Amino acid sequence: MRFADSMLLLVLGCVVAVVAVCLAVFAWLGVQQLRTQTEGEALSIARTLSEDPDLRAAVAGYSARAAAPAVDELRGGPIAAAAGAVQARTGALFVVVTDDRGIRLAHPDPDRIGEEVSTSFAAALAGEETVSWERGTLGESARAKVPVYAPGTARPVGEVSVGFAPASVFDDLPTLLAGVAVAALAALSIGVLVAVLLRRRLERLTLGLQPEELTALVQQQAAVLDGVGDGVVAIAPDRIIRVCNAVAERMLGVDDPVGARVDALGLAPALAAVLDPAAPPPDPTSAFPAGERILYVDRRPVRRLGRDLGVVFVLRDRTDLMALSERLDAVGSMTNALRAQRHEFANRVHVAAGLIDAGRVEEARSFLDELRGRGPIAAPGGRLERIEEPLLQAIVGAKAIEAAERGVRVTVAEGTFVRGTLSAPEDVGAVLGNLIDNAVRAALSAERTPRQVEVELLDDADVLAITVADSGAGVADPARLFPGGDDATVAGAQAGAGAGRAPADAVHGHGIGLPLIRDLARRRGGDVWLADAGGGEGGAVFCARLPGVMSPREEL
């Protein structure tokens, strides 16, 4: 039997049992009430009759006689007449009057007059009033016995006994029981209705699942949620988080978010917006920042039995992958620079060899002297000789050549001075290359000319300081470059400078570079920051400080 059906039967059984008990109790109380009411009515009639002055005087007279009165005298006497009149008016089973010897002075059956009563009259002669159910010559009855006092004294000289038959007592019992039965049926109907509604509510809440199925579901959920490396967050249509595994908690930087609203977790605006169940599905290639992490978000709506249960979001941490991609881009830039140097070096060797073969040794020596002063690569911006580190020189030279092809002139600042050797070329290439690329895009997006980017590099022991300035339009809203959650979309709109323009293309990796390189720098104890928002006559200036990336030349 299904759990919901068994619960329905159990509730119905409980309701029937409670109604039956209540019906029995109310019936018993009703019977007791009728008995008490009848006994009180008999007592009132007996008291009223016993207070009649004529009756008291007559009873006192018969009690004062030495011998019992004659039966004929009693049958037509005033006492029998008074008792018969009361019995006729009240509908009592009997009204009996006795003297102090228990002789009946009045009785419904004339043949019983003059005889001694069949029940005890001692209590009445002792001045006590009694109410009881007893069996006499007329059968069982509810009777009241009241003493009759002699006129002007408190001496009992007889008793008045009034009784009602059980049939007359319980005349109203069917009506009472009918009312109780109607109430019981109403209560039973309400109980059945509540049980049915409770069953439907239970099935709706559990989606028709039985307890054993719920147990298996919980076990499966625990196994799945704790056994995957991705974050899983289930959010109901009212934006309340219903499920969140430990991996998702670490990714989002929250503790025990189940039961809380998404907008109360303090997430980055872009991430909070995409986690809204009412929002459209995100682009599968879009990345969203969460603290120092870069997340991809997959969305899966959940429905069962035609009911919207919310949305399940799968969070994938791609921070390390994106950082590796930045490093690979830097390595690619260095490879291009080295390839350009090799090609230019080969051309120079050919020129020098041609001059020597032609016997023009002095011209060949002059050509080589000029090359030695100009540097290993002919960068469009010049001043590469200020960077004595070959890899740094190659990175800046390659970026300068690429920028020149796009119409932007990359120059090395006069204050540049680097004498050490790179010990972490991938990290430096990622940070420096990203800042230069962003600055070039900012310069291209501005209307002003000439379009140029200036790079300044300084080393101090193992620390490399980087400053990149552009001729773009500046940063319109610096506070949104590095928000608490690192809003990747807004940061990408600037992507290094010139914020306020259209967001960068997240598909091609832009828009999350700044958070990534800042995270990379902070892991080394450094940082990346906006030194000057620019605007007006000048563009933005970004700075970076990278400890532990340089080695003094003398140590090598």
Side-chain angles (χ1 to χ4, degrees):
M1 181 181 293
R2 292 168 57 87
F3 176 75
D5 296 333
S6 61
M7 283 293 298
L8 175 62
L9 294 179
L10 178 61
V11 172
L12 289 179
C14 291
V15 171
V16 171
V18 170
V19 170
V21 170
C22 292
L23 179 61
V25 170
F26 279 114
W28 181 80
L29 291 176
V31 171
Q32 296 302 315
Q33 181 181 3
L34 290 175
R35 289 169 62 99
T36 302
Q37 181 179 352
T38 303
E39 291 170 354
E41 185 177 354
L43 181 61
S44 298
I45 295 172
R47 283 175 177 174
T48 301
L49 184 58
S50 68
E51 294 295 331
D52 187 296
D54 296 336
L55 180 71
R56 293 173 63 181
V59 173
Y62 286 122
S63 297
R65 295 182 184 184
V71 175
D72 295 336
E73 180 185 355
L74 295 176
R75 287 176 179 172
I79 296 178
V86 171
Q87 180 180 350
R89 290 196 306 270
T90 60
L93 176 64
F94 63 82
V95 176
V96 177
V97 181
T98 68
D99 60 8
D100 57 357
R101 291 182 294 270
I103 301 300
R104 297 187 181 99
L105 303 179
H107 192 278
D109 186 358
D111 295 336
R112 300 290 184 179
I113 296 176
E115 297 177 358
E116 184 177 343
V117 294
S118 60
T119 58
S120 176
F121 57 90
L125 293 181
E128 298 178 3
E129 296 178 349
T130 60
V131 178
S132 63
W133 283 73
E134 292 181 330
R135 178 175 294 276
T137 57
L138 298 178
E140 185 177 7
S141 62
R143 60 186 65 190
K145 297 180 180 180
V146 177
V148 178
Y149 297 98
T153 68
R155 178 174 61 87
V157 293
E159 73 168 0
V160 174
S161 178
V162 178
F164 286 89
S168 64
V169 172
F170 299 118
D171 285 343
D172 296 332
L173 185 58
T175 303
L176 176 63
L177 293 180
V180 174
V182 171
L185 289 176
L188 183 61
S189 301
I190 294 175
V192 172
L193 178 61
V194 170
V196 172
L197 293 179
L198 182 62
R199 177 178 180 273
R200 293 182 59 185
R201 172 72 173 173
L202 181 63
E203 289 190 337
R204 184 165 62 253
L205 290 177
T206 61
L207 303 178
L209 298 177
Q210 302 304 303
E212 59 275 8
E213 295 175 319
L214 292 176
T215 302
L217 184 62
V218 170
Q219 295 172 343
Q220 295 169 5
Q221 174 182 308
V224 171
L225 294 182
D226 296 336
V228 299
D230 295 333
V232 179
V233 181
I235 303 178
D238 56 0
R239 297 175 57 85
I240 300 296
I241 296 178
R242 300 303 181 187
V243 177
C244 184
N245 65 350
V247 177
E249 291 183 8
R250 290 195 300 269
M251 289 182 180
L252 299 177
V254 296
D255 294 326
D256 192 19
V258 176
R261 292 181 60 85
V262 175
D263 47 16
L265 298 181
L267 302 178
L271 184 58
V274 78
L275 292 180
D276 186 349
D283 189 333
T285 59
S286 297
F288 302 90
E292 303 297 337
R293 302 178 184 272
I294 302 299
L295 306 179
Y296 284 166
V297 180
D298 287 341
R299 172 192 173 103
R300 295 290 184 272
V302 180
R303 299 185 65 86
R304 181 178 174 85
L305 301 177
R307 178 182 172 188
D308 183 11
L309 301 181
V311 180
V312 173
F313 295 92
V314 179
L315 310 180
R316 295 182 175 88
D317 190 350
R318 293 295 181 263
T319 306
D320 295 337
L321 180 62
M322 299 301 297
L324 179 61
S325 176
E326 293 287 341
R327 290 189 175 97
L328 290 177
D329 289 343
V331 172
S333 298
M334 287 188 288
T335 301
N336 292 333
L338 293 175
R339 185 181 297 109
Q341 283 188 341
R342 177 182 176 279
H343 180 72
E344 184 172 351
F345 179 76
N347 291 336
R348 293 175 179 179
V349 170
H350 290 158
V351 172
L355 291 174
I356 293 174
D357 291 342
R360 301 165 63 178
V361 178
E362 292 299 327
E363 294 181 14
R365 180 182 298 276
S366 176
F367 175 71
L368 293 175
D369 289 342
E370 181 183 355
L371 291 181
R372 184 176 57 184
R374 192 168 55 187
I377 187 170
R383 296 201 192 104
L384 283 180
E385 67 277 1
R386 295 181 179 273
I387 306 175
E388 297 185 8
E389 213 300 313
L391 289 177
L392 276 178
Q393 191 179 82
I395 294 172
V396 176
K399 292 297 181 182
I401 293 174
E402 293 177 1
E405 294 174 353
R406 302 172 62 185
V408 179
R409 185 169 182 265
V410 177
T411 62
V412 177
E414 293 185 1
T416 296
F417 188 73
V418 178
R419 294 185 56 85
T421 302
L422 280 179
S423 59
E426 294 88 356
D427 291 349
V428 174
V431 175
L432 179 58
N434 186 278
L435 291 178
I436 294 176
D437 289 342
N438 291 341
V440 169
R441 284 194 295 272
L444 287 173
S445 64
E447 299 294 335
R448 65 183 61 166
T449 55
R451 296 183 175 92
Q452 58 185 9
V453 173
E454 186 178 61
V455 180
E456 183 178 67
L457 303 173
L458 293 171
D459 66 333
D460 181 12
D462 66 341
V463 179
L464 176 64
I466 302 173
T467 302
V468 179
D470 62 71
S471 61
V475 179
D477 188 359
R480 301 183 65 187
L481 277 179
F482 298 109
D486 291 341
D487 192 328
T489 303
V490 177
Q494 160 58 18
R501 295 182 292 273
D505 184 5
V507 176
H508 300 92
H510 306 316
I512 53 177
L514 282 177
L516 277 175
I517 64 173
R518 186 181 71 166
D519 178 46
L520 190 151
R522 287 182 174 179
R523 290 180 184 178
R524 289 186 163 276
D527 204 354
V528 175
W529 68 94
L530 175 66
D532 185 359
E537 298 297 328
V541 178
F542 278 83
C543 296
R545 181 178 178 275
L546 303 176
V549 299
M550 302 295 296
S551 298
R553 187 179 297 276
E554 55 269 22
E555 294 180 2
L556 301 177

